[in-house]
Amino acid sequence: MNTFAYARVSAADQNLNRQIDSFIQFGVEKRRIYCDKKSGKDFDRTGYNRLLKKIKKGDLLIIKSIDRLGRNYDMIIEEWARITRTVGADILVLDMPMLDTRVRGNDLTGRLISNIVLQLLSYVAQKERENINARQKEGIASAKLRGVKFGRPLIPMPEDFAQRVTEYKSKKITIADAMANTGMKKSTFYERMRLFRKRTA
């Protein structure tokens, strides 16, 4: 039997160390710890797919929390079933020791409790994500009502921008000249030229 571990964070600037340290303390070899810095919205994850090719029947997979498997109820339940039933490996969730499929024999009560806890925690994980998303949308809507601007600020137009546009449209200067004179990229110049034409129309 081999013991594997899987760590995941949702963004490249987030840190995996806390999860990895907990696996090492448990005794997992570093070479059997698989990691991803990617959203849990699907299973297009390099580290996770490499893990699935290695893990076999009778092995143990350790994760820090159930939402490392997926971001919603259906994904978590489906992936739990894939690993424990299709692959035939066991799972241990460090943040919830009750979720440990290594219960053997005729301990139906233990397996029943584990399944109930899994269903409940998967539901809670999804509801929490939905609540976070709802709060973010409410916050953005509220901020917009207060006049807060989102996204990258527009590059200010040079004072002679109108002249440069006129020169470019009359073919007195090239796009390269326009970019050099305004300090803008090609796409930015075209975009600001469209905005300028709308304002002056």
Side-chain angles (χ1 to χ4, degrees), residues 21-177:
D21 288 346
S22 66
F23 300 147
I24 293 173
Q25 289 174 9
F26 189 87
V28 184
E29 298 176 58
K30 283 187 177 181
R31 65 191 179 95
R32 291 200 171 105
I33 299 175
Y34 293 82
C35 305
D36 281 311
K37 288 191 171 185
K38 195 167 184 181
S39 166
K41 66 179 181 179
D42 56 41
F43 293 108
D44 182 21
R45 306 179 225 147
T46 302
Y48 190 72
N49 288 324
R50 285 175 54 219
L51 166 68
L52 290 179
K53 291 179 180 178
K54 293 289 186 179
I55 196 166
K56 299 289 188 294
K57 183 176 181 179
D59 289 340
L60 173 64
L61 171 62
I62 299 176
I63 54 178
K64 188 78 170 106
S65 59
I66 58 169
D67 59 357
R68 299 307 85 196
L69 287 180
R71 70 190 301 179
N72 63 49
Y73 178 88
D74 290 333
M75 288 178 68
I76 294 170
I77 297 298
E78 179 181 339
E79 207 57 20
W80 187 279
R82 189 220 293 238
I83 293 169
T84 60
R85 297 176 188 172
T86 305
V87 176
D90 285 306
I91 301 178
L92 168 63
V93 181
L94 294 181
D95 284 354
M96 181 57 63
M98 189 176 290
L99 290 177
D100 183 352
T101 64
R102 291 175 297 175
V103 176
R104 297 300 186 190
N106 295 318
D107 191 354
L108 293 176
T109 302
R111 287 200 295 272
L112 175 62
I113 292 174
S114 180
N115 286 335
I116 291 173
V117 172
L118 171 64
Q119 298 266 348
L120 176 61
L121 292 181
S122 301
Y123 171 80
V124 170
Q126 176 169 331
K127 291 304 293 182
E128 178 59 21
R129 173 166 288 279
E130 290 174 357
N131 289 339
I132 289 172
N133 290 339
R135 288 195 293 269
Q136 288 175 339
K137 290 178 180 178
E138 289 171 0
I140 291 172
S142 177
K144 285 182 176 179
L145 287 174
R146 297 195 306 274
V148 176
K149 302 294 183 182
F150 291 89
R152 291 181 297 179
L154 290 174
I155 298 173
M157 288 185 184
E159 292 182 2
D160 60 350
F161 186 76
Q163 178 185 342
R164 300 305 176 194
V165 169
T166 300
E167 291 174 345
Y168 172 70
K169 290 174 67 178
S170 61
K171 298 184 179 180
K172 291 182 179 179
I173 62 173
T174 65
I175 184 61
D177 294 328

